[in-house]
Amino acid sequence: MNNYVSIEKISRFEGEEVLIRGWLYNKRSSGKIVFLQVRDGSGFIQGVVIKKEVDNEVFNLCKELNQESSIIVSGMVQKDDRSKLGFELLVKEVTMVSQADEGYPISLKEHGTDFLMDYRHLWMRTPKQNAILRIRDEINLSIRNYFHDNGFVLIEPPVITPTSCEGTTDLFGIDYFGEDAYLSQTGQLYAEAAAMAFGKVYSFGPTFRAEKSKTRKHLNEFWMVEPEMAYVTFEENLVIQENLIAHIVQSVLSNRRQELAELERDTALLEKIKPPFPRITYTDAVEMLQKADFEFEWGDDFGAPHESHIASKYEKPVFITHFPAKMKPFYMEPCPENPNVILGADLIAPEGYGEIIGGSQRIHDLDLLLKKMKEENLPEDPYQWYIELRKYGSVPHSGFGMGLERTVAWVCGIDHIRQTIPFARTLNRIYP
Ligand code: 4AD
Ligand code: MG
């Protein structure tokens, strides 16, 4: 018999004998019976080993198995309404593939998150962490599907870049055969080139920020999806963003119910995430904050408490539009009616999760771009290729960047971004 099945598909095998290849997550025994919590990566199932129904050897082996030993278990699938899964396994045989060392670091008692992050390579085996990373996988897929189905071409920008792409601070420098180079903070400028070649493109990859922030929203290596669209204006750009976010949330609601339940996520809040999303200007947001007695001046940047206050007024993500040009990067198109503000927006997630998207219409006029670059003291030489995009068939165009991990944190409803990526890189962590 070699009918291996995965636990997530176990309901199809009710009343049948199956083989599960996995690991021993936990164990309880009471004299004549041993309960094995078996995980196989796709789910968790309880195996019941009854002394008088199995060989002595099997029963004794079960009693000796250490937590996280790898095992192959055969047994009969039967209904069990008390378990989350709805099924359990009446065990017939157990083969030990590898006995785990005693003293598995992650016992089933509560550990602090810092301790668990040191054991991330093992922590990811536990139900909640497993659920988060499965939701991340679903979000990844839903993003790719959304863009593919809407005619976007995936374009991978380089990770090693000769210049800064998003402000000159926060760069990780590297030595590129004796020349200075940097890990990319954004793929945007390259995506702009590709948009003029393909019309609608998106990049999706790791980006790097040498920010020394210790907040629950910052990673030093994170994944960003960055669409860029020729002939698309500021307003149309917002519609694409809200459609994308709604598509992501709906995909998770449709396909990852069990994982959301594992995380005890309030799905009623997610059900409300449908377009259109509210829009307010930066100036209105400042007024809102001042009315609520925040000390905040026009031109200040929002911190976490400000974003949370603004978001608390809405059940959906909210666009804050028309930021002061001085606060934003050189490439953002000024508003024709008031050039002190830009045709761009940040999208602020509900429930205090903060900014998940930043985007804008881009400057397409050559002279304006050169003027802005001069104001920011950016050298023309290394950006010559970017400038040339404005010489050869320039058109109005727009794009945005969505942080994958912040989106996963919000959809999962978890308190810290470091749990949303397999192996986090933060100010104090480069291990494991
Ligand atoms: O607002 P940001 O810096 O925008 C850009 O880099 C643009 N070039 C994107 C574009 O228009 N193509 O970053 C975009 C998003 C943020 O809204 C946030 O979700 C995420 O990237 N992000 C981070 N996520 C985790 N840790 C950090 N340190 C992040 N910095 C930005
Ligand atoms: Mg931003």
Side-chain angles (χ1 to χ4, degrees), residues 165-166 185-189 191 207 209 211 213 217-228 328-329 331-332 346-347 355-360 362 399-407 417:
C165 293
E166 186 83 13
Q185 302 159 298
T186 165
Q188 179 195 321
L189 306 193
T207 45
R209 305 271 165 109
E211 291 169 286
S213 350
K217 291 174 189 154
H218 286 89
L219 292 169
N220 296 103
E221 173 174 341
F222 64 97
W223 283 62
M224 190 164 23
V225 55
E226 299 186 84
E228 198 64 39
K328 292 289 184 187
Y331 54 71
M332 292 197 179
D346 283 359
L347 184 67
E355 179 199 327
I356 50 174
I357 292 181
S360 78
R362 320 305 191 187
F400 61 92
M402 187 193 87
L404 177 64
E405 290 77 15
R406 288 196 193 166
T407 306
I417 193 171

Side-chain angles (χ1 to χ4, degrees), residues 3-296:
N3 49 337
Y4 294 109
V5 304
S6 61
I7 295 172
E8 69 182 339
K9 300 202 171 122
I10 208 81
S11 64
R12 301 182 195 170
F13 298 93
E14 192 187 342
E16 289 177 43
E17 199 164 301
V18 298
L19 273 175
I20 291 173
R21 292 189 282 197
W23 296 265
L24 181 64
Y25 179 63
N26 191 17
K27 188 178 76 173
R28 274 186 304 126
S29 58
S30 62
K32 299 193 165 97
I33 190 160
V34 180
F35 298 98
L36 306 175
Q37 297 296 333
V38 181
R39 59 171 195 87
D40 73 345
S42 80
F44 294 75
I45 192 168
Q46 170 160 279
V48 185
V49 194
I50 300 170
K51 186 166 190 210
K52 64 178 193 329
E53 290 185 19
V54 295
D55 288 347
N56 256 344
E57 276 162 54
V58 171
F59 194 77
N60 290 338
L61 173 67
C62 288
K63 292 217 303 204
E64 271 159 32
L65 284 172
N66 290 331
Q67 188 187 353
E68 285 302 321
S69 294
S70 37
I71 50 176
I72 298 175
V73 183
S74 79
M76 177 80 79
V77 179
Q78 50 188 28
K79 250 195 148 32
D80 173 31
D81 293 332
R82 289 158 306 174
S83 80
K84 269 191 214 163
L85 184 69
F87 296 90
E88 63 175 16
L89 200 68
L90 186 58
V91 174
K92 290 238 164 80
E93 268 176 75
V94 177
T95 312
M96 183 172 76
V97 180
S98 163
Q99 170 78 307
D101 282 7
E102 263 176 73
Y104 185 66
I106 303 184
S107 60
L108 296 167
K109 66 168 202 230
E110 292 269 317
H111 295 284
T113 310
D114 269 322
F115 171 89
L116 292 167
M117 287 299 290
D118 285 339
Y119 286 98
R120 183 61 172 169
H121 48 299
L122 305 176
W123 190 28
M124 66 202 316
R125 302 177 178 191
T126 59
K128 279 201 166 54
Q129 297 308 309
N130 213 275
I132 295 166
L133 294 179
R134 279 178 178 273
I135 290 173
R136 178 188 170 104
D137 164 68
E138 180 69 35
I139 291 178
N140 257 308
L141 184 66
S142 69
I143 291 168
R144 289 171 198 276
N145 284 340
Y146 177 86
F147 287 117
H148 185 79
D149 294 348
N150 284 286
F152 287 70
V153 176
L154 174 65
I155 294 290
E156 292 89 350
V159 164
I160 301 173
T161 57
T163 49
S164 143
C165 293
E166 186 83 13
T168 44
T169 52
D170 303 339
L171 284 164
F172 279 115
I174 56 169
D175 172 6
Y176 195 71
F177 308 118
E179 302 218 355
D180 285 342
Y182 309 94
L183 297 181
S184 186
Q185 302 159 298
T186 165
Q188 179 195 321
L189 306 193
Y190 296 97
E192 285 185 56
M196 300 305 143
F198 297 90
K200 295 194 281 188
V201 301
Y202 70 108
S203 76
F204 196 178
T207 45
F208 305 85
R209 305 271 165 109
E211 291 169 286
K212 293 197 166 150
S213 350
K214 277 205 227 165
T215 79
R216 59 195 185 91
K217 291 174 189 154
H218 286 89
L219 292 169
N220 296 103
E221 173 174 341
F222 64 97
W223 283 62
M224 190 164 23
V225 55
E226 299 186 84
E228 198 64 39
M229 300 147 284
Y231 289 106
V232 165
T233 56
F234 166 64
E235 287 290 342
E236 296 164 324
N237 193 23
L238 300 187
V239 174
I240 293 160
Q241 293 171 48
E242 59 195 7
N243 286 340
L244 170 67
I245 294 289
H247 174 77
I248 290 170
V249 172
Q250 288 310 313
S251 300
V252 175
L253 284 170
S254 306
N255 303 322
R256 289 288 171 229
R257 282 273 164 194
Q258 209 177 310
E259 285 78 5
L260 291 169
E262 178 65 50
L263 299 170
E264 294 166 47
R265 181 63 167 118
D266 183 348
T267 51
L269 296 175
L270 295 178
E271 302 281 1
K272 293 178 182 153
I273 310 304
K274 301 211 169 109
F277 297 167
R279 292 148 165 70
I280 59 166
T281 64
Y282 171 86
T283 304
D284 289 344
V286 171
E287 205 171 292
M288 182 193 285
L289 291 170
Q290 287 170 344
K291 275 197 188 133
D293 286 339
F294 283 92
E295 263 184 46
F296 199 94

Side-chain angles (χ1 to χ4, degrees), residues 262-404:
E262 178 65 50
L263 299 170
E264 294 166 47
R265 181 63 167 118
D266 183 348
T267 51
L269 296 175
L270 295 178
E271 302 281 1
K272 293 178 182 153
I273 310 304
K274 301 211 169 109
F277 297 167
R279 292 148 165 70
I280 59 166
T281 64
Y282 171 86
T283 304
D284 289 344
V286 171
E287 205 171 292
M288 182 193 285
L289 291 170
Q290 287 170 344
K291 275 197 188 133
D293 286 339
F294 283 92
E295 263 184 46
F296 199 94
E297 300 282 325
W298 199 91
D300 290 349
D301 211 346
F302 299 125
H306 309 120
E307 285 179 348
S308 293
H309 178 78
I310 297 163
S312 71
K313 306 280 176 206
Y314 307 94
E315 291 187 319
K316 299 182 193 183
V318 50
F319 287 111
I320 304 179
T321 68
H322 300 88
F323 279 83
K326 284 217 162 57
M327 287 171 59
K328 292 289 184 187
F330 72 96
Y331 54 71
M332 292 197 179
E333 176 78 6
C335 178
E337 292 84 43
N338 174 10
N340 291 327
V341 300
I342 47 83
L343 293 180
D346 283 359
L347 184 67
I348 311 298
E351 301 171 69
Y353 283 92
E355 179 199 327
I356 50 174
I357 292 181
S360 78
Q361 189 169 322
R362 320 305 191 187
I363 293 178
H364 61 280
D365 181 77
L366 175 64
D367 293 334
L368 182 57
L369 182 72
L370 293 174
K371 181 170 159 261
K372 282 276 180 176
M373 288 180 65
K374 208 167 247 140
E375 283 170 17
E376 307 255 333
N377 285 321
L378 289 172
E380 281 182 28
D381 266 4
Y383 289 96
Q384 209 49 54
W385 65 271
Y386 186 72
I387 293 166
E388 279 169 19
L389 301 175
R390 275 73 184 165
K391 291 187 184 169
Y392 305 112
S394 193
V395 296
H397 61 288
S398 301
F400 61 92
M402 187 193 87
L404 177 64

